[in-house]
Amino acid sequence: MNLLPIQEPGFGQSIHSKRSEMNYNDAKGYDFGSGNTNIDPAVLREFVPKPIACGTYEDIPDTHFFLCEFREMTDDMPDHDKFASRLSTMHQKSVSPTGKFGFHITTYAGNLPQYVEREDSWETFFAKSMRQALDLEISVKGNSTELEVLSQALFEKVISRLLRPLESGGRTVKPSLIHGDLRFGDEYVAAYNTFAQISAPEEDFEGRLDLYRLRFDTHVSALFVDNETLRTQ
């Protein structure tokens, strides 16, 4: 770890930080956090900006930074097939060193934490992740009889009905590195499915997508406290 002086715009003072170098040029596999997830560096070069450094301000311990190479942004949507091909490659080639779902550090959506504890089962991991998102949402928007009834059905019936078949009858689910907040249209989902086969039972595919959207939308509802429509959408 080295000390890196950073000039804060508008403050006129040097703030020291602890910096960690990040490089995937010559790595056998890019390491996401001390052996957490490995990916072929060739996949990353095509798909994400090259990371340069990250660290924490020594004088402001709850403030952090991440530096990466500059990429020119446009208003154009990416090509369906090219994007789906790279995304599916990242999913299929990433490897969890523990063979479990989860992450070694807490991840956030906005400023709210997500569930990251290691779990052997995708159903178990998702249920706990959904529970944490719902608890966060209830803590800021309150509970109701209707919500309690719906939540009970969700955790006692819906999650197991849709996710347990993925890990039954000899089927398994591979833990993969995923990217949050990819909100593209149905055409991208269709393109993705040409590169990554839909998991059996295929007839539950749309139901599983709705379930995954529910967890995301619940977390977003917790983020935007004053927006009541996010709870009822």
Side-chain angles (χ1 to χ4, degrees), residues 25-38:
N25 282 337
D26 301 315
K28 294 181 180 179
Y30 187 71
D31 177 48
F32 283 79
S34 301
N36 185 70
T37 305
N38 290 320

Side-chain angles (χ1 to χ4, degrees), residues 119-202:
E119 301 289 350
D120 293 312
S121 163
W122 170 237
E123 178 189 342
T124 300
F125 181 85
F126 179 85
K128 291 183 178 180
S129 177
M130 182 72 232
R131 171 58 69 184
Q132 179 165 311
L134 183 59
D135 287 346
L136 288 170
E137 206 267 359
I138 291 174
S139 70
V140 295
K141 291 189 174 175
N143 206 346
S144 68
T145 301
E146 180 183 18
L147 185 58
E148 287 184 353
V149 172
L150 293 173
S151 298
Q152 183 176 358
L154 173 66
F155 288 102
E156 293 183 1
K157 297 180 180 180
V158 177
I159 292 177
S160 59
R161 165 61 186 83
L162 290 173
L163 301 189
R164 191 164 300 171
L166 294 172
E167 300 174 298
S168 302
R171 304 185 188 102
T172 59
V173 179
K174 171 187 173 293
S176 299
L177 184 69
I178 59 173
H179 189 298
D181 208 9
L182 287 176
R183 293 182 289 180
F184 291 141
D186 292 340
E187 65 271 23
Y188 286 92
V189 176
Y192 180 89
N193 290 336
T194 66
F195 296 98
Q197 183 178 358
I198 295 176
S199 299
E202 292 84 352

